[in-house]
Every structure is written in structure tokens, then in C-alpha cells.
């Protein structure tokens, strides 16, 4: 699987978010991160950073690419955002779980999508023919 440097960085950030969540669940959070809100803010920050690194640079391509992927990723991002807002407003552990779950699924989906795009671009570079939608005719 072709994984870009941006996706590797995003993977490290999401892994750090998952680690923070697992430590919080186990009551073994880092000093000062025992509260739901504090842990949630750290996770939100890591998620926003992962998104800014791996998604934002290709935003134009995203908007003109696969619409099913765009809608799915948007809904997952919205779920993570709503989970984050509810978590901040109420210190809800369910909202924190929703946020981290949506983040992990979104990361997995986007990393796989980026790898498939890289593979298809590599095939085009080797003489394959692609349509504007990124699919073979």
C-alpha cells in the first residue's frame, strides 16, 4: 500500500489520540489529563492536526473526486465534531467515545482512499487510462 508522508504523520497523531483515550479509560491518564474535557481537548487537537496535515492539502481534489467518499467522510467528520462539542459541553464519556470512534474510522477510510488514489495515479503514470472521475473507462 502506498502511504504518503502526510498519511504517516496523520497516523501517528491518531495513534497518539487513541493512546490518550485508552489511558483515560484505564484511569492511567497522563498527569493533568484525568478529566473528560481535558482528554477530549487533547484528542480534538490531535484529530484536527491529523486532518489539517492529511486532508486539507488535497481539499480541491477531494471536492472534485468520489462523491460517495466525500459524503461518507463528511458525515464521519460531522459525527466527530458533534461528539466533541457535546463532550466539551457536558463532559460526556459517551460523546468522547463517539468522537474517538469517528476519528479512527475517518482516519482508516481516508488513509485507504489516499493509498488507492496514489495507486491509480501510479498506474496512469505507467500508461494506464483514467477518466476524470479517477475510474477506468
Amino acid at each position: 500500500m502506498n502511504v504518503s508522508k502526510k498519511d504517516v504523520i496523520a497516523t501517528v497523531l491518531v495513534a497518539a489520540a487513541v493512546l490518550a483515550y485508552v489511558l483515560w479509560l484505564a484511569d492511567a491518564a497522563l498527569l493533568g489529563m484525568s478529566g473528560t474535557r481535558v482528554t477530549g481537548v487533547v484528542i480534538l487537537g490531535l484529530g484536527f492536526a491529523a486532518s489539517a496535515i492529511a486532508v486539507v492539502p488535497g481539499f480541491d481534489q477531494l471536492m472534485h473526486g468520489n462523491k460517495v467518499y466525500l459524503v461518507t467522510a463528511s458525515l464521519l467528520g460531522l459525527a466527530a465534531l458533534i461528539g466533541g462539542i457535546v463532550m466539551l459541553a457536558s463532559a460526556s464519556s459517551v460523546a468522547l467515545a463517539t468522537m474517538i470512534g469517528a476519528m479512527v474510522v475517518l482516519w482508516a477510510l481516508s488513509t485507504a482512499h489516499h493509498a488507492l488514489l496514489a495507486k491509480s495515479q501510479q498506474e496512469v503514470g505507467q500508461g494506464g487510462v483514467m477518466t476524470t472521475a479517477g475510474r477506468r473507462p
Side-chain angles (χ1 to χ4, degrees):
M1 181 189 300
N2 289 335
V3 181
S4 71
K5 183 178 179 179
K6 293 175 185 176
D7 283 322
V8 170
I9 294 168
T11 298
V12 170
L13 293 170
V14 171
V18 169
L19 178 62
Y21 180 69
V22 169
L23 289 172
W24 176 81
L25 277 177
D27 286 329
L30 301 173
L31 188 60
M33 287 185 49
S34 60
T36 304
R37 284 188 181 104
V38 174
T39 301
V41 166
V42 169
I43 291 170
L44 271 172
L46 291 166
F48 279 124
S51 178
I53 290 168
V55 176
V56 173
F59 190 73
D60 186 53
Q61 184 180 18
L62 176 66
M63 293 304 293
H64 295 95
N66 184 318
K67 298 304 179 199
V68 173
Y69 171 75
L70 178 62
V71 169
T72 303
S74 297
L75 290 173
L76 284 167
L78 183 61
L81 179 63
I82 290 170
I85 291 168
V86 171
M87 178 275 309
L88 288 172
S90 65
S92 167
S93 59
V94 172
L96 181 59
T98 300
M99 183 180 69
I100 192 76
M103 180 191 303
V104 169
V105 172
L106 186 56
W107 160 80
L109 181 67
S110 65
T111 301
H113 184 256
H114 297 159
L116 289 173
L117 284 176
K119 182 179 178 186
S120 67
Q121 289 172 351
Q122 184 179 30
E123 288 173 0
V124 169
Q126 294 174 352
V129 177
M130 286 286 191
T131 65
T132 58
R135 293 185 217 107
R136 295 217 174 268

